[in-house]
């Protein structure tokens, strides 16, 4: 398999998750999609963990970078209103927010490839990790902002 195909393998699922996340917030506002928007990224993490167990050491790295890059585009669109206030702050915030999607993908893929942690159901670990990443981003890192948490697309 070519390197390009290997690097592009997680992109469709990651892009689907980002699209669902974008559809969950205004102006479209299909708020119930916020509950399922993380599912494609979770499936991509499970796939990367299977590839890692099969001997592909870069599968988790590919997933993490794909999740971060696709999420960067999503956050640029979601936070586009900041461009009116700060030209430099808009891409910087999108970069920081995208890192948390990559962190979730990395942590879930690593926990899925671990023999000890993979005894827990994938859905349970995914819920704990998504809530933990979003809580850390919103409460600790962003000093109290709860915007765009699962189930709460806008304040």
């Amino acid at each position: 398999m070519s390197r390009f195909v290997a690097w592009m393998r997680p992109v469709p699922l990651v892009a689907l998750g980002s699209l669902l996340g974008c559809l969950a917030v205004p102006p479209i506002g299909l708020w119930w999609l916020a509950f399922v928007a993380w599912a494609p990224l979770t499936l991509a993490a499970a796939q990367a963990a299977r590839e890692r167990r099969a001997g592909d050491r870069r599968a988790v790295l590919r997933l993490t970078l794909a999740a971060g890059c696709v999420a960067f585009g999503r956050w640029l669109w979601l936070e586009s209103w900041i461009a009116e206030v700060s030209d430099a702050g808009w891409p910087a915030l999108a970069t920081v927010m995208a890192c948390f999607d990559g962190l979730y993908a990395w942590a879930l893929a690593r926990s899925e490839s671990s023999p000890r942690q993979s005894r827990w159901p994938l859905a349970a670990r995914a819920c704990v990790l998504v809530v933990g990443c979003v809580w850390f981003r919103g409460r600790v890192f962003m000093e109290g902002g709860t915007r765009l948490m699962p189930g709460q697309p806008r304040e």
Side-chain angles (χ1 to χ4, degrees), residues 3 7 52 55-63:
R3 288 184 183 176
W7 278 95
R52 186 173 194 276
D56 186 359
R57 303 284 293 164
R58 294 189 178 186
V60 176
L61 173 65
R62 286 193 303 263
L63 172 69

Side-chain angles (χ1 to χ4, degrees), residues 58-144:
R58 294 189 178 186
V60 176
L61 173 65
R62 286 193 303 263
L63 172 69
T64 304
L65 290 176
C69 290
V70 171
F72 177 72
R74 181 184 79 217
W75 286 111
L76 277 178
W77 181 74
L78 289 175
E79 303 292 348
S80 61
W81 61 273
I82 295 176
E84 298 173 10
V85 178
S86 171
D87 289 335
W90 177 41
L93 179 63
T95 302
V96 168
M97 299 294 268
C99 287
F100 286 99
D101 286 29
L103 174 67
Y104 168 76
W106 174 82
L108 189 61
R110 291 298 301 232
S111 74
E112 182 68 10
S113 61
S114 165
R116 182 176 179 203
Q117 295 173 1
S118 63
R119 285 186 252 159
W120 288 82
L122 178 63
R125 282 179 285 125
C127 289
V128 167
L129 285 171
V130 76
V131 169
C133 286
V134 172
W135 177 85
F136 182 77
R137 181 193 78 206
R139 291 290 180 195
V140 176
F141 185 74
M142 299 299 236
E143 297 180 1

